[in-house]
Amino acid sequence: MAHLAHDPAIRADRRTTLELGAVLPQTAEVRHGHLYVGGVDMVELAREQGTALYVMDVAQIRQQLRAYREALGAANQVVYAGKAFLNKAMVKLLIAEGSWLDVSSGGELAIALAAGFDPGHIVMHGNNKTEAELTEAIQAGVGLIVADCFEELDRISRITTERGSTQSILLRVKPGVVADTHAFIRTGAEDSKFGFGLSGGEGGSGGAARMAVENALALPGIHLAGLHAHIGSQIFALASFAETIAVLADFMGALRTSSGFTPEILDLGGGLGIAYQAADEPATIRDLGSLLTTHLASCCGELGLPLPRLMVEPGRSVVATAGLTLYTVGVIKKLKGLRCYVAIDGGMTDNIRTALYDARYEATLANRAAAPRDTVVTLAGKHCESGDVVALDASLQSPEIGDIVAVFGTGAYNASMSSNYNAQVRPGVVFVEDGEARLVQRRETYADLTARDVE
Ligand SMILES: *Cc1c(COP(=O)(O)O)cnc(C)c1O
């Protein structure tokens, strides 16, 4: 709101918010002491919709997708990783922004199709896709299936041969790169359940991956379009991506000699890290895009290989910063000499990342956003586990019962990992943009909790 920027009090408010820098969605600002996102008052929104509530800044999601498009160039393709956050409204946003979609289950595929997504722009993942899921994907006409193991190559070939169709696939390889991130989200090392190994072991020289290429080329009903690698998530060091490209280019060179195969597509997965804490300095999308495109061009150039079409599959870096979760403070326990527990009306059911990965989050009081965040508290949930913590040792304005807490950076792997533990109803999701709030997924009801019970 341009006219408000002339008000000196509001300019001061804004500076306070900006202390959180890259943690905040781009439209976050403080007006009259309240946190606004997408031009919408978060305190009003919490009052209207109740808490806990997921809020997504649509402008921020659009900006991230556009940044990827620009960074990769028109010849290459951004494929949003749906497992980070997916519902029909998100699918429609992807359609509007020209993004492809990566799904990792029959369920995600069903959501995409229900929202009218072009199946030709879908990439299907999974390390153990069931026969039913493969059939659903092939019947829907997904653009690419990323094959993860030998059994799957046989299954795809059997299904397409019976139908008299051909399916384009990528082969997922393990480049042997150990990304600098949490072990649970590191996926590119040799000791990983995902993909075909490149070195020794099974399949002799060139490993299982070489054998998989030969099988895929020989099997009927399969068009081998290229290779895929995903080394992990929340990665800060771009060098891991450069290393992956170098390994894959060498493999491509070896494949050309051994089987005359040159990939049309090289899909490098997702993984770019984001700022969860004010001090975090992740690489930018532009840096990643420029590293990937120049490094790929130079590696292919050196080996005389034709340049494949590059795909990347960002999830977290598209939606994490766009999202925040609003909670209401219910109980405050100051344990002398220990810590101050601030209990909120959600927790590990709407945000499991702290319990699962020791994730760190920044928070603010949405109703006193201009006040200094000068106390340290632990935001605890309402569930029956001591590990039910959303933010450990977070800076916050001195809290009072009834305050609205906004936890930032919750747009990825929060709603999509939510659960009904303690029969907690899952929060609703609101999209905010240009001063308007749109409920895109309603809060669950008690009726939803018994809807699947059969008597
Ligand atoms: C999880 C995943 C992604 C997305 O990773 P982010 O870290 O969220 O960008 C992309 N591709 C594959 C295969 C994945 O498993």
Side-chain angles (χ1 to χ4, degrees), residues 4-89:
L4 289 172
H6 298 297
D7 178 340
I10 286 172
R11 273 209 303 277
D13 271 8
R14 242 180 222 158
R15 268 200 300 280
T16 318
T17 325
L18 291 175
E19 264 174 36
L20 283 170
V23 171
L24 297 176
Q26 60 163 5
T27 66
E29 56 183 328
V30 181
R31 291 190 206 165
H32 309 297
H34 283 193
L35 173 69
Y36 276 65
V37 178
V40 173
D41 183 342
M42 293 297 105
V43 181
E44 278 290 306
L45 187 65
R47 206 170 287 145
E48 273 168 31
Q49 296 289 339
T51 51
L53 185 69
Y54 295 119
V55 181
M56 303 290 285
D57 179 359
V58 176
Q60 173 83 31
I61 300 176
R62 292 190 200 280
Q63 171 187 279
Q64 301 306 92
L65 289 169
R66 287 172 194 176
Y68 267 105
R69 218 163 52 209
E70 272 162 36
L72 294 174
N76 302 316
Q77 184 61 51
V78 53
V79 183
Y80 168 71
K83 72 175 196 263
F85 171 80
L86 200 68
N87 55 37
K88 286 165 84 172

Coordinates of all heavy atoms in Angstrom, one line a residue, residues 4-89:
L4 N 0.6 4.3 2.5 CA 1.0 4.1 3.9 C 2.5 4.3 4.2 O 2.9 4.7 5.3 CB 0.6 2.7 4.3 CG -0.9 2.5 4.5 CD1 -1.3 1.0 4.7 CD2 -1.5 3.4 5.6
A5 N 3.3 4.2 3.1 CA 4.7 4.3 3.3 C 5.1 5.7 3.7 O 6.2 5.9 4.2 CB 5.4 3.9 2.0
H6 N 4.3 6.7 3.5 CA 4.6 8.0 3.9 C 4.4 8.3 5.4 O 4.9 9.3 5.9 CB 3.8 9.0 3.1 CG 4.0 8.9 1.6 ND1 5.3 9.2 1.1 CD2 3.3 8.5 0.6 CE1 5.2 8.9 -0.3 NE2 4.0 8.5 -0.6
D7 N 3.7 7.4 6.0 CA 3.5 7.6 7.5 C 4.8 7.1 8.2 O 5.2 6.0 8.1 CB 2.3 6.7 7.8 CG 2.0 6.7 9.3 OD1 2.9 7.1 10.1 OD2 0.8 6.4 9.7
P8 N 5.4 8.0 8.9 CA 6.7 7.7 9.5 C 6.6 6.5 10.5 O 7.5 5.7 10.7 CB 7.2 9.0 10.2 CG 6.1 9.9 10.1 CD 5.1 9.4 9.1
A9 N 5.5 6.5 11.3 CA 5.3 5.4 12.2 C 5.3 4.1 11.5 O 5.9 3.1 12.0 CB 4.0 5.6 13.0
I10 N 4.7 4.0 10.3 CA 4.6 2.8 9.6 C 6.0 2.4 9.0 O 6.4 1.2 9.0 CB 3.5 2.8 8.5 CG1 2.2 2.8 9.3 CG2 3.7 1.7 7.5 CD1 1.0 3.0 8.5
R11 N 6.8 3.4 8.6 CA 8.1 3.1 8.1 C 8.9 2.4 9.2 O 9.6 1.5 9.0 CB 8.8 4.3 7.6 CG 8.5 4.6 6.2 CD 9.6 5.3 5.5 NE 10.0 6.6 6.1 CZ 9.3 7.7 5.9 NH1 8.3 7.8 5.1 NH2 9.7 8.8 6.6
A12 N 8.8 3.0 10.5 CA 9.5 2.4 11.6 C 9.1 1.0 11.8 O 9.9 0.1 12.1 CB 9.3 3.2 12.8
D13 N 7.8 0.7 11.8 CA 7.2 -0.6 11.9 C 7.8 -1.6 11.0 O 8.2 -2.7 11.3 CB 5.7 -0.6 11.6 CG 4.9 -0.2 12.8 OD1 5.5 0.1 13.9 OD2 3.6 -0.3 12.8
R14 N 8.0 -1.1 9.7 CA 8.5 -2.0 8.7 C 9.9 -2.5 9.0 O 10.3 -3.6 8.7 CB 8.5 -1.3 7.3 CG 7.6 -2.0 6.4 CD 7.5 -1.3 5.1 NE 6.1 -1.4 4.7 CZ 5.6 -0.6 3.8 NH1 6.3 0.4 3.2 NH2 4.3 -0.7 3.5
R15 N 10.7 -1.5 9.5 CA 12.1 -1.8 9.8 C 12.1 -3.0 10.8 O 13.0 -3.9 10.7 CB 12.8 -0.6 10.3 CG 13.5 0.2 9.2 CD 14.6 1.0 9.8 NE 14.1 2.0 10.8 CZ 13.6 3.2 10.4 NH1 13.4 3.5 9.2 NH2 13.2 4.0 11.3
T16 N 11.2 -2.9 11.8 CA 11.2 -4.0 12.8 C 11.0 -5.3 12.2 O 11.6 -6.3 12.5 CB 10.1 -3.7 13.9 OG1 10.1 -2.3 14.1 CG2 10.3 -4.5 15.1
T17 N 10.1 -5.4 11.3 CA 9.8 -6.6 10.6 C 11.0 -7.1 9.8 O 11.3 -8.3 9.8 CB 8.6 -6.5 9.5 OG1 7.7 -5.5 10.0 CG2 8.0 -7.8 9.2
L18 N 11.6 -6.1 9.1 CA 12.7 -6.5 8.2 C 13.9 -7.1 8.9 O 14.8 -7.7 8.3 CB 13.1 -5.3 7.4 CG 12.0 -4.9 6.4 CD1 12.3 -3.7 5.6 CD2 11.6 -6.1 5.4
E19 N 13.9 -7.0 10.3 CA 15.0 -7.7 11.0 C 15.1 -9.1 10.6 O 16.1 -9.8 10.8 CB 14.7 -7.6 12.5 CG 15.4 -6.5 13.2 CD 14.9 -6.5 14.7 OE1 14.6 -7.5 15.2 OE2 14.7 -5.4 15.2
L20 N 13.9 -9.7 10.2 CA 13.9 -11.1 9.9 C 14.3 -11.4 8.5 O 14.3 -12.6 8.1 CB 12.5 -11.7 10.3 CG 12.3 -11.9 11.8 CD1 10.9 -12.2 12.1 CD2 13.2 -13.0 12.3
G21 N 14.5 -10.4 7.7 CA 15.1 -10.5 6.4 C 14.5 -11.6 5.5 O 13.3 -11.7 5.3
A22 N 15.3 -12.5 5.1 CA 14.9 -13.5 4.1 C 14.0 -14.6 4.7 O 13.5 -15.4 3.9 CB 16.2 -14.2 3.5
V23 N 13.8 -14.6 6.0 CA 12.9 -15.5 6.6 C 11.4 -15.2 6.2 O 10.5 -16.1 6.1 CB 13.0 -15.5 8.1 CG1 11.9 -16.4 8.8 CG2 14.4 -16.0 8.5
L24 N 11.2 -13.9 5.9 CA 9.8 -13.4 5.7 C 9.3 -13.5 4.3 O 10.1 -13.4 3.4 CB 9.7 -11.9 6.1 CG 10.0 -11.5 7.5 CD1 9.9 -10.0 7.7 CD2 9.0 -12.2 8.5
P25 N 8.0 -13.8 4.1 CA 7.5 -13.7 2.7 C 7.6 -12.3 2.3 O 7.6 -11.3 3.1 CB 6.0 -14.1 2.9 CG 5.7 -14.0 4.3 CD 7.0 -14.2 5.1
Q26 N 7.7 -12.1 0.9 CA 8.0 -10.7 0.4 C 7.0 -9.7 0.8 O 7.3 -8.5 0.9 CB 8.2 -10.8 -1.1 CG 6.9 -11.3 -1.8 CD 7.0 -11.0 -3.3 OE1 8.0 -10.4 -3.8 NE2 5.9 -11.3 -4.0
T27 N 5.7 -10.0 1.0 CA 4.7 -9.0 1.3 C 4.5 -8.8 2.8 O 3.6 -8.0 3.2 CB 3.3 -9.4 0.7 OG1 2.9 -10.6 1.4 CG2 3.4 -9.7 -0.8
A28 N 5.3 -9.4 3.7 CA 5.2 -9.2 5.1 C 5.5 -7.8 5.5 O 6.5 -7.2 5.0 CB 6.1 -10.2 5.9
E29 N 4.7 -7.2 6.3 CA 4.9 -5.8 6.8 C 4.1 -5.6 8.1 O 3.3 -6.4 8.4 CB 4.5 -4.8 5.7 CG 3.0 -4.9 5.3 CD 2.6 -3.9 4.2 OE1 3.1 -2.8 4.2 OE2 1.7 -4.3 3.5
V30 N 4.4 -4.5 8.8 CA 3.7 -4.2 10.0 C 2.9 -3.0 9.8 O 3.5 -2.0 9.3 CB 4.7 -4.1 11.2 CG1 3.9 -3.8 12.5 CG2 5.6 -5.3 11.3
R31 N 1.7 -3.0 10.1 CA 0.8 -1.8 10.0 C 0.1 -1.7 11.3 O -0.6 -2.6 11.7 CB -0.3 -2.0 8.9 CG 0.3 -2.0 7.5 CD -0.9 -1.9 6.5 NE -0.5 -2.5 5.2 CZ -1.4 -2.8 4.3 NH1 -2.7 -2.6 4.6 NH2 -1.1 -3.3 3.2
H32 N 0.3 -0.5 11.9 CA -0.4 -0.3 13.2 C -0.2 -1.4 14.2 O -1.1 -1.8 14.9 CB -1.9 0.0 13.0 CG -2.1 1.1 12.0 ND1 -1.7 2.4 12.1 CD2 -2.7 1.0 10.7 CE1 -2.0 3.0 11.0 NE2 -2.6 2.2 10.2
G33 N 1.0 -1.9 14.2 CA 1.4 -3.0 15.2 C 1.0 -4.4 14.8 O 1.3 -5.3 15.5
H34 N 0.2 -4.5 13.7 CA -0.2 -5.9 13.3 C 0.6 -6.4 12.1 O 1.0 -5.6 11.3 CB -1.7 -5.9 12.9 CG -2.6 -5.8 14.0 ND1 -4.0 -6.1 13.9 CD2 -2.4 -5.6 15.4 CE1 -4.6 -5.9 15.1 NE2 -3.7 -5.6 16.0
L35 N 0.9 -7.7 12.1 CA 1.6 -8.3 11.0 C 0.6 -8.4 9.8 O -0.5 -8.9 10.0 CB 2.1 -9.7 11.4 CG 2.7 -10.5 10.3 CD1 4.0 -9.9 9.7 CD2 2.9 -12.0 10.7
Y36 N 1.0 -7.9 8.7 CA 0.2 -8.1 7.4 C 1.0 -9.0 6.5 O 2.2 -8.8 6.3 CB -0.1 -6.7 6.8 CG -1.2 -6.0 7.3 CD1 -1.3 -5.5 8.6 CD2 -2.4 -5.7 6.5 CE1 -2.4 -4.8 9.1 CE2 -3.5 -5.0 7.0 CZ -3.4 -4.5 8.3 OH -4.5 -3.9 8.8
V37 N 0.3 -9.9 5.8 CA 0.9 -10.6 4.7 C -0.1 -10.6 3.5 O -1.3 -10.8 3.7 CB 1.2 -12.1 5.1 CG1 1.9 -12.9 3.9 CG2 2.2 -12.1 6.3
G38 N 0.4 -10.3 2.3 CA -0.4 -10.2 1.2 C -1.5 -9.2 1.3 O -2.6 -9.2 0.8
G39 N -1.1 -8.1 2.1 CA -2.1 -7.0 2.4 C -3.2 -7.4 3.3 O -4.2 -6.7 3.4
V40 N -3.1 -8.5 4.0 CA -4.2 -9.0 4.9 C -3.7 -9.0 6.3 O -2.5 -9.4 6.6 CB -4.6 -10.4 4.5 CG1 -5.6 -11.0 5.5 CG2 -5.2 -10.4 3.1
D41 N -4.5 -8.5 7.2 CA -4.2 -8.4 8.7 C -4.2 -9.8 9.3 O -5.3 -10.5 9.3 CB -5.2 -7.5 9.3 CG -4.9 -7.3 10.8 OD1 -4.2 -8.1 11.4 OD2 -5.5 -6.3 11.4
M42 N -3.1 -10.3 9.7 CA -3.0 -11.7 10.2 C -3.8 -11.9 11.5 O -4.3 -13.0 11.8 CB -1.5 -12.1 10.5 CG -0.7 -12.2 9.2 SD -1.4 -13.6 8.1 CE -2.2 -12.6 6.8
V43 N -4.0 -10.8 12.3 CA -4.7 -10.9 13.5 C -6.2 -11.0 13.2 O -6.9 -11.9 13.8 CB -4.5 -9.6 14.4 CG1 -5.2 -9.7 15.7 CG2 -3.0 -9.4 14.7
E44 N -6.7 -10.2 12.3 CA -8.1 -10.3 11.8 C -8.4 -11.7 11.3 O -9.4 -12.3 11.5 CB -8.3 -9.3 10.7 CG -8.6 -7.9 11.2 CD -10.0 -7.9 11.8 OE1 -11.0 -8.3 11.2 OE2 -10.1 -7.4 13.0
L45 N -7.4 -12.2 10.4 CA -7.6 -13.5 9.8 C -7.7 -14.6 10.8 O -8.5 -15.5 10.7 CB -6.4 -13.7 8.8 CG -6.5 -14.9 7.9 CD1 -7.7 -14.8 6.9 CD2 -5.2 -15.2 7.2
A46 N -6.8 -14.5 11.8 CA -6.8 -15.5 12.9 C -8.2 -15.5 13.6 O -8.8 -16.5 14.0 CB -5.7 -15.3 13.9
R47 N -8.7 -14.3 13.8 CA -10.0 -14.2 14.5 C -11.1 -14.8 13.6 O -12.0 -15.5 14.1 CB -10.3 -12.7 14.7 CG -11.2 -12.4 15.9 CD -11.2 -10.9 16.2 NE -10.0 -10.4 16.8 CZ -9.5 -9.2 16.6 NH1 -10.0 -8.3 15.8 NH2 -8.4 -8.8 17.2
E48 N -11.1 -14.5 12.3 CA -12.1 -15.0 11.4 C -12.1 -16.5 11.2 O -13.1 -17.2 11.2 CB -11.9 -14.4 10.0 CG -12.6 -13.0 9.8 CD -12.1 -12.4 8.6 OE1 -11.8 -13.1 7.6 OE2 -12.0 -11.2 8.5
Q49 N -10.9 -17.0 11.0 CA -10.7 -18.4 10.6 C -10.4 -19.4 11.8 O -10.5 -20.6 11.6 CB -9.6 -18.6 9.6 CG -9.9 -17.9 8.2 CD -11.0 -18.6 7.5 OE1 -11.3 -19.7 7.7 NE2 -11.6 -17.8 6.5
G50 N -10.0 -18.8 12.9 CA -9.6 -19.6 14.0 C -8.1 -20.1 13.8 O -7.6 -19.9 12.7
T51 N -7.5 -20.6 14.9 CA -6.1 -21.1 14.8 C -6.2 -22.5 15.3 O -7.1 -22.9 15.9 CB -5.2 -20.2 15.7 OG1 -5.8 -20.1 17.0 CG2 -5.0 -18.8 15.1
A52 N -5.2 -23.3 14.9 CA -4.0 -23.0 14.1 C -4.5 -22.9 12.6 O -5.5 -23.5 12.2 CB -3.0 -24.2 14.2
L53 N -3.7 -22.1 11.9 CA -4.1 -21.8 10.5 C -2.8 -21.6 9.7 O -1.9 -20.9 10.1 CB -4.9 -20.5 10.5 CG -5.5 -20.0 9.1 CD1 -6.6 -21.0 8.7 CD2 -6.0 -18.6 9.2
Y54 N -2.8 -22.3 8.5 CA -1.7 -22.1 7.5 C -2.1 -20.9 6.6 O -3.2 -20.9 6.1 CB -1.5 -23.3 6.7 CG -1.1 -24.6 7.3 CD1 -1.9 -25.7 7.3 CD2 0.2 -24.7 8.0 CE1 -1.4 -26.9 7.9 CE2 0.6 -25.9 8.6 CZ -0.2 -27.0 8.5 OH 0.2 -28.2 9.1
V55 N -1.1 -20.0 6.4 CA -1.3 -18.9 5.5 C -0.2 -19.0 4.4 O 0.9 -19.2 4.7 CB -1.3 -17.6 6.2 CG1 -1.5 -16.4 5.3 CG2 -2.3 -17.6 7.4
M56 N -0.6 -18.8 3.2 CA 0.4 -18.8 2.1 C 0.3 -17.5 1.3 O -0.7 -17.0 0.8 CB 0.1 -19.9 1.1 CG 0.1 -21.3 1.7 SD 1.7 -22.0 2.2 CE 2.5 -22.4 0.7
D57 N 1.5 -16.8 1.1 CA 1.6 -15.6 0.4 C 1.8 -16.0 -1.1 O 2.8 -16.4 -1.6 CB 2.9 -14.8 0.9 CG 3.1 -13.5 0.1 OD1 2.4 -13.2 -0.8 OD2 4.1 -12.9 0.5
V58 N 0.7 -15.8 -1.9 CA 0.7 -16.2 -3.3 C 1.7 -15.5 -4.1 O 2.4 -16.1 -5.0 CB -0.8 -16.1 -3.9 CG1 -0.8 -16.4 -5.3 CG2 -1.7 -16.9 -3.1
A59 N 1.9 -14.2 -3.8 CA 2.9 -13.4 -4.6 C 4.3 -14.0 -4.5 O 5.1 -14.0 -5.4 CB 2.9 -12.0 -4.1
Q60 N 4.6 -14.5 -3.3 CA 5.9 -15.1 -3.0 C 6.0 -16.4 -3.8 O 7.1 -16.6 -4.4 CB 6.0 -15.4 -1.5 CG 7.3 -16.1 -1.1 CD 8.5 -15.3 -1.0 OE1 8.4 -14.1 -0.6 NE2 9.7 -15.8 -1.3
I61 N 5.0 -17.2 -3.9 CA 5.1 -18.4 -4.7 C 5.3 -18.1 -6.1 O 6.2 -18.7 -6.8 CB 3.8 -19.3 -4.5 CG1 3.6 -19.7 -3.0 CG2 3.9 -20.6 -5.3 CD1 2.3 -20.4 -2.7
R62 N 4.5 -17.2 -6.6 CA 4.7 -16.8 -8.0 C 6.1 -16.3 -8.3 O 6.7 -16.6 -9.3 CB 3.7 -15.6 -8.4 CG 2.2 -16.0 -8.4 CD 1.4 -14.8 -9.0 NE 0.0 -14.9 -8.7 CZ -0.9 -15.6 -9.2 NH1 -0.5 -16.5 -10.2 NH2 -2.1 -15.6 -8.8
Q63 N 6.6 -15.5 -7.4 CA 7.9 -14.9 -7.6 C 9.0 -16.0 -7.6 O 9.9 -16.0 -8.5 CB 8.3 -14.0 -6.4 CG 9.7 -13.5 -6.4 CD 10.1 -12.7 -5.1 OE1 9.8 -11.5 -5.0 NE2 10.6 -13.4 -4.2
Q64 N 8.9 -17.0 -6.8 CA 9.9 -18.1 -6.8 C 9.8 -18.9 -8.1 O 10.8 -19.2 -8.7 CB 9.6 -19.0 -5.6 CG 9.7 -18.4 -4.2 CD 11.0 -17.6 -4.0 OE1 11.0 -16.4 -4.3 NE2 12.0 -18.3 -3.5
L65 N 8.6 -19.2 -8.5 CA 8.4 -20.0 -9.8 C 9.0 -19.2 -11.0 O 9.7 -19.7 -11.8 CB 7.0 -20.3 -10.0 CG 6.4 -21.4 -9.1 CD1 4.9 -21.5 -9.2 CD2 7.0 -22.8 -9.3
R66 N 8.7 -17.9 -11.0 CA 9.3 -17.0 -12.1 C 10.8 -16.9 -12.0 O 11.4 -17.0 -13.0 CB 8.6 -15.6 -12.0 CG 7.2 -15.7 -12.4 CD 6.4 -14.4 -12.2 NE 5.0 -14.7 -12.4 CZ 4.0 -13.8 -12.2 NH1 4.4 -12.5 -11.8 NH2 2.8 -14.1 -12.3
A67 N 11.3 -16.9 -10.8 CA 12.8 -16.8 -10.6 C 13.4 -18.1 -11.2 O 14.4 -18.0 -11.9 CB 13.1 -16.6 -9.1
Y68 N 12.8 -19.2 -10.9 CA 13.3 -20.5 -11.5 C 13.2 -20.5 -13.0 O 14.2 -20.9 -13.7 CB 12.6 -21.7 -10.9 CG 13.2 -22.3 -9.7 CD1 12.7 -22.1 -8.4 CD2 14.4 -23.0 -9.8 CE1 13.3 -22.6 -7.3 CE2 15.0 -23.5 -8.7 CZ 14.5 -23.3 -7.4 OH 15.1 -23.9 -6.3
R69 N 12.1 -20.0 -13.5 CA 11.9 -20.0 -15.0 C 13.0 -19.1 -15.6 O 13.6 -19.5 -16.6 CB 10.5 -19.4 -15.3 CG 9.9 -20.1 -16.5 CD 8.4 -19.9 -16.5 NE 8.1 -18.5 -16.5 CZ 7.0 -18.0 -15.9 NH1 6.1 -18.9 -15.5 NH2 6.7 -16.7 -15.9
E70 N 13.2 -17.9 -15.0 CA 14.2 -17.0 -15.6 C 15.6 -17.6 -15.4 O 16.5 -17.5 -16.3 CB 14.2 -15.7 -14.9 CG 13.2 -14.7 -15.5 CD 12.8 -13.6 -14.6 OE1 13.7 -13.1 -13.9 OE2 11.7 -13.2 -14.6
A71 N 15.9 -18.2 -14.3 CA 17.3 -18.7 -14.0 C 17.6 -19.9 -14.9 O 18.8 -20.1 -15.2 CB 17.4 -19.1 -12.5
L72 N 16.6 -20.6 -15.3 CA 16.9 -21.8 -16.1 C 16.9 -21.5 -17.6 O 17.5 -22.2 -18.4 CB 15.9 -22.9 -15.8 CG 15.9 -23.5 -14.4 CD1 14.8 -24.5 -14.2 CD2 17.2 -24.2 -14.2
G73 N 16.1 -20.5 -18.0 CA 16.0 -20.2 -19.4 C 14.9 -21.0 -20.1 O 14.5 -22.0 -19.5
A74 N 14.4 -20.5 -21.2 CA 13.2 -21.1 -21.9 C 13.4 -22.5 -22.3 O 12.4 -23.3 -22.4 CB 12.8 -20.2 -23.0
A75 N 14.6 -22.9 -22.6 CA 14.9 -24.3 -23.1 C 14.7 -25.3 -22.0 O 14.5 -26.5 -22.3 CB 16.3 -24.4 -23.6
N76 N 14.8 -24.9 -20.7 CA 14.7 -25.8 -19.6 C 13.4 -25.7 -18.9 O 12.6 -24.9 -19.1 CB 15.9 -25.6 -18.7 CG 17.2 -25.7 -19.5 OD1 17.4 -26.7 -20.3 ND2 18.1 -24.8 -19.3
Q77 N 13.2 -26.6 -17.9 CA 11.9 -26.7 -17.3 C 11.9 -26.8 -15.8 O 12.6 -27.7 -15.2 CB 11.1 -27.9 -17.8 CG 9.7 -28.1 -17.4 CD 8.8 -26.9 -17.8 OE1 8.8 -26.5 -18.9 NE2 8.1 -26.3 -16.8
V78 N 11.1 -26.0 -15.1 CA 10.9 -26.1 -13.7 C 9.8 -27.1 -13.4 O 8.7 -27.0 -14.0 CB 10.8 -24.8 -12.9 CG1 9.7 -23.9 -13.5 CG2 10.5 -25.0 -11.4
V79 N 10.0 -28.0 -12.5 CA 9.0 -29.0 -12.2 C 8.8 -29.0 -10.6 O 9.7 -29.4 -9.9 CB 9.5 -30.5 -12.5 CG1 8.5 -31.5 -12.3 CG2 10.0 -30.5 -14.0
Y80 N 7.7 -28.3 -10.2 CA 7.5 -28.2 -8.8 C 7.3 -29.5 -8.1 O 6.6 -30.4 -8.6 CB 6.3 -27.2 -8.5 CG 5.8 -27.2 -7.1 CD1 6.6 -26.6 -6.1 CD2 4.6 -27.8 -6.7 CE1 6.2 -26.6 -4.8 CE2 4.2 -27.8 -5.4 CZ 5.0 -27.2 -4.4 OH 4.6 -27.2 -3.1
A81 N 8.0 -29.7 -7.0 CA 7.9 -31.0 -6.2 C 6.6 -30.9 -5.3 O 6.7 -30.3 -4.2 CB 9.1 -31.2 -5.4
G82 N 5.6 -31.6 -5.7 CA 4.3 -31.5 -5.0 C 4.3 -32.0 -3.5 O 3.5 -31.5 -2.7
K83 N 5.3 -32.8 -3.2 CA 5.3 -33.3 -1.8 C 5.5 -32.2 -0.8 O 5.2 -32.4 0.4 CB 6.3 -34.5 -1.6 CG 7.7 -34.0 -1.6 CD 8.6 -35.3 -1.3 CE 10.0 -34.9 -0.9 NZ 11.0 -35.0 -2.0
A84 N 6.1 -31.1 -1.2 CA 6.3 -30.0 -0.3 C 5.0 -29.4 0.2 O 4.9 -29.0 1.4 CB 7.2 -28.9 -0.9
F85 N 4.1 -29.2 -0.7 CA 2.8 -28.6 -0.3 C 1.9 -28.8 -1.5 O 2.2 -28.3 -2.6 CB 2.9 -27.1 0.0 CG 1.6 -26.4 0.1 CD1 0.9 -26.4 1.3 CD2 1.1 -25.6 -0.9 CE1 -0.3 -25.8 1.4 CE2 -0.1 -24.9 -0.8 CZ -0.8 -25.0 0.4
L86 N 0.7 -29.5 -1.4 CA -0.1 -29.7 -2.5 C -1.6 -29.7 -2.2 O -2.0 -30.4 -1.2 CB 0.2 -31.0 -3.2 CG -0.2 -31.2 -4.7 CD1 0.5 -30.3 -5.6 CD2 0.0 -32.6 -5.1
N87 N -2.4 -29.0 -2.9 CA -3.8 -29.1 -2.9 C -4.3 -28.5 -4.2 O -3.5 -28.1 -5.0 CB -4.4 -28.3 -1.6 CG -4.0 -26.9 -1.6 OD1 -3.9 -26.2 -2.6 ND2 -3.8 -26.4 -0.4
K88 N -5.6 -28.5 -4.4 CA -6.1 -28.1 -5.7 C -5.8 -26.6 -6.1 O -5.4 -26.3 -7.2 CB -7.6 -28.3 -5.8 CG -8.0 -29.8 -5.9 CD -9.4 -30.1 -5.7 CE -10.3 -29.9 -6.9 NZ -11.7 -30.4 -6.7
A89 N -5.8 -25.8 -5.1 CA -5.5 -24.3 -5.3 C -4.0 -24.2 -5.7 O -3.7 -23.4 -6.6 CB -5.8 -23.5 -4.1

